[in-house]
Amino acid sequence: MNTLIFEKSFNRHTEYLNPTLIKYNLGFHYEVLENKENGLLQPFFFKLCDELKKDNLDFAITHDDTVNAGVLYRENLVFITFGMFDSLCKLAELICCSGVLGNEKSEKRYENLNFIGNPFTGFKKTKPVFDCETTSKLLLVIFDCLLVFVIGHEKGHIDNAHGNIGQSKITEDITNTITGNLSVISQHAKELVADLSGFNHAKYRLNYSISKNKHTSPEVSKLLNNIDSDTLVLFILTCFFKMMDNIYGVSPDMTTRSHPYASFRAHTLLAMKFNYKNLESGGFDSLNAILTMVDEVFEYSSARHDSEWLKKSTTKEMSEWYSMIYGEIPKWRVT
Ligand SMILES: [Zn+2]
């Protein structure tokens, strides 16, 4: 597609979606074509538009610096903020810089994953992020996995018909405060079901990337084949959950949160994945291995780091909270 056709198609896209975005106070569509610094933006934006179109869904990146994503059920629209896109780029870079996946360690460029004044740059035609080609290719695989999880989480809300129940709630955000008439327990159950859907999408994509890279970049496939794919996806997603906790803070009162703690989301994914009935019945060894890797990533960044964060998901109160949510999950899971 030449530049002019790109422009025309993008302008049509924004003219069509902007009235809806404005109606829901989501901010204008982001000027994807004008950002020349983040080389991941254009290819991944158009790729996601094409992928979501197959499910009759529109896709938008909103002009919003906060780290957020959501779905407008009645409009068949999945959106992420530019803040989310930028943070995912930086998180993928941090994971790569840390060398935790066995690749070459590199110097980090971002102290704060959510500092929009210092946006992610790189992957322009002339300037890759890393000198090492394998690490650059690894970044693409990890970023793709993170993005597919965020979109897959939102699709999970649609596929599990979360918009059909509690119609007063039109939008669903990844970080919103409690609104509407759903109980907090229902809200958390919905989020955990959507997480599982996102996990499945991310795992499918990661396995596809690994098999594709067997030919295009055998070094990347070799690195990623060292870890089993469930562990690898949970590691990448737990980094995401931890980043979200770092950005939005952690309130000790679960009833005021629309989403559970990062470590709790990671723990529950593992529990649902392996059909544990409660947090105590298994999975600690796998979880600890994953969390050690996540800690290494965040220790590499000098951002606020709380190495005790796993304990938040294993207290008596949290186990009781989880038991209540676990009983609610079947109501919100149709897929
Ligand atoms: Zn959600």
Side-chain angles (χ1 to χ4, degrees):
M1 210 188 274
N2 69 34
T3 315
L4 196 64
I5 297 173
F6 253 135
E7 256 175 53
K8 276 189 179 162
S9 135
F10 180 72
N11 289 342
R12 266 202 310 274
H13 186 81
T14 53
E15 276 166 28
Y16 169 65
L17 290 180
N18 266 337
T20 304
L21 298 176
I22 293 161
K23 185 175 155 195
Y24 292 102
N25 289 323
L26 295 172
F28 286 101
H29 202 289
Y30 189 79
E31 298 91 343
V32 169
L33 298 183
E34 282 172 33
N35 184 326
K36 309 278 186 220
E37 298 303 316
N38 183 340
L40 300 179
L41 187 58
Q42 284 187 32
F44 278 92
F45 168 75
F46 286 108
K47 191 168 120 172
L48 283 174
C49 283
D50 287 346
E51 283 177 6
L52 287 169
K53 205 179 274 172
K54 288 178 196 152
D55 292 315
N56 288 322
L57 293 168
D58 281 318
F59 175 65
I61 298 182
T62 61
H63 216 298
D64 180 348
D65 291 351
T66 64
V67 182
N68 214 338
V71 49
L72 297 177
Y73 293 110
R74 289 175 188 168
E75 319 283 350
N76 287 332
L77 174 71
V78 171
F79 66 89
I80 64 171
T81 59
F82 180 67
M84 172 66 84
F85 193 92
D86 182 74
S87 292
L88 294 183
C89 293
K90 289 173 184 165
L91 178 60
E93 183 175 323
L94 176 65
I95 293 171
C96 287
C97 286
S98 71
V100 166
L101 292 173
N103 58 308
E104 208 173 90
K105 250 187 170 71
S106 318
E107 206 176 311
K108 64 180 184 292
R109 292 190 297 159
Y110 303 101
E111 293 294 333
N112 185 344
L113 302 183
N114 181 36
F115 181 51
I116 205 70
N118 183 20
F120 178 88
T121 57
F123 279 101
K124 290 176 283 181
K125 277 180 192 148
T126 49
K127 190 178 172 292
V129 169
F130 300 108
D131 295 333
C132 169
E133 202 186 323
T134 301
T135 308
S136 290
K137 286 183 175 164
L138 183 64
L139 189 150
L140 288 174
V141 173
I142 293 170
F143 174 70
D144 196 27
C145 177
L146 285 164
L147 198 55
V148 165
F149 169 74
V150 171
I151 302 297
H153 172 106
E154 301 307 336
K155 275 193 79 227
H157 284 304
I158 297 171
D159 294 342
N160 287 285
H162 292 173
N164 296 348
I165 313 167
Q167 279 293 338
S168 64
K169 199 167 162 53
I170 297 164
T171 65
E172 193 283 330
D173 290 342
I174 215 155
T175 57
N176 63 357
T177 50
I178 305 294
T179 54
N181 52 13
L182 292 175
S183 77
V184 181
I185 290 169
S186 300
Q187 176 71 22
H188 283 201
K190 273 176 29 176
E191 294 312 325
L192 297 175
V193 168
D195 277 350
L196 186 63
S197 173
F199 170 90
N200 288 332
H201 283 285
K203 186 180 164 185
Y204 183 84
R205 181 63 68 90
L206 195 72
N207 283 335
Y208 174 77
S209 299
I210 291 171
S211 63
K212 195 178 71 178
N213 275 305
K214 265 184 197 151
H215 307 291
T216 54
S217 180
E219 299 82 7
V220 170
S221 283
K222 211 172 144 198
L223 282 177
L224 299 180
N225 270 328
N226 281 334
I227 310 171
D228 85 88
S229 58
D230 277 335
T231 305
L232 186 59
V233 181
L234 282 167
F235 157 67
I236 295 171
L237 301 188
T238 306
C239 286
F240 169 77
F241 295 144
K242 187 160 174 58
M243 177 186 80
M244 295 304 276
D245 268 6
N246 284 353
I247 292 172
Y248 284 98
V250 174
S251 152
D253 181 5
M254 286 296 279
T255 59
T256 62
R257 295 168 56 89
S258 67
H259 286 61
Y261 290 130
S263 58
F264 189 76
R265 289 172 80 179
H267 210 153
T268 310
L269 264 185
L270 198 80
M272 289 203 285
K273 194 69 208 151
F274 298 107
N275 285 324
Y276 302 139
K277 294 294 175 216
N278 57 56
L279 294 179
E280 278 77 31
S281 66
F284 278 114
D285 289 347
S286 314
L287 188 65
N288 276 326
I290 290 164
L291 289 165
T292 303
M293 288 164 73
V294 174
D295 277 348
E296 271 179 53
V297 168
F298 283 85
E299 271 160 15
Y300 195 67
S301 117
S302 43
R304 186 157 46 98
H305 173 67
D306 172 14
S307 59
E308 297 287 292
W309 69 296
L310 169 62
K311 290 185 181 159
K312 295 189 181 97
S313 74
T314 55
T315 59
K316 189 170 165 283
E317 291 77 18
M318 289 303 271
S319 292
E320 285 168 8
W321 183 253
Y322 177 79
S323 296
M324 287 192 286
I325 294 172
Y326 197 84
E328 186 79 3
I329 280 175
K331 286 189 203 167
W332 300 99
R333 191 172 173 187
V334 297
T335 55

